[in-house]
Amino acid sequence: TSGGIEELEKRLRGRGTENEDKIQKRLKTSARELAFLKAQPEFFDHVLVNDDLAKAEEELKDVFVKWFPNVEKYVKASL
């Protein structure tokens, strides 16, 4: 999440769908993943931040078309 671990915790608690153990597990996992990303940013070809669904969807489509030019006709058909 673009707001960091604090924002993730706020979102998870706000949903009210997971117990405390699961929330803590997800927070620890996310902290490890974000630390890895910070330490090795070149590992990933692209990092998609899903803080705005419409923006993330468009960005994902653009990345797919860049990586797989043949999917452009399918992406355009879904618009």
Side-chain angles (χ1 to χ4, degrees), residues 60-73:
L60 181 59
K61 288 177 183 179
D62 291 345
V63 170
F64 273 1
V65 168
K66 179 181 172 188
W67 290 344
F68 310 104
N70 291 336
V71 303
E72 186 169 18
K73 61 185 170 192

Side-chain angles (χ1 to χ4, degrees), residues 1 7 21-22 25-27 30 35 39 53 70 72 74:
T1 177
E7 179 64 24
D21 288 339
K22 288 193 179 206
K25 182 177 180 180
R26 289 191 63 183
L27 293 173
S30 295
L53 183 58
N70 291 336
E72 186 169 18
Y74 301 107

Side-chain angles (χ1 to χ4, degrees), residues 36-51:
F36 181 86
L37 174 61
K38 185 175 182 178
Q40 299 185 42
E42 71 287 346
F43 183 83
F44 299 99
D45 292 328
H46 189 85
V47 176
L48 182 69
V49 178
N50 185 13
D51 57 356

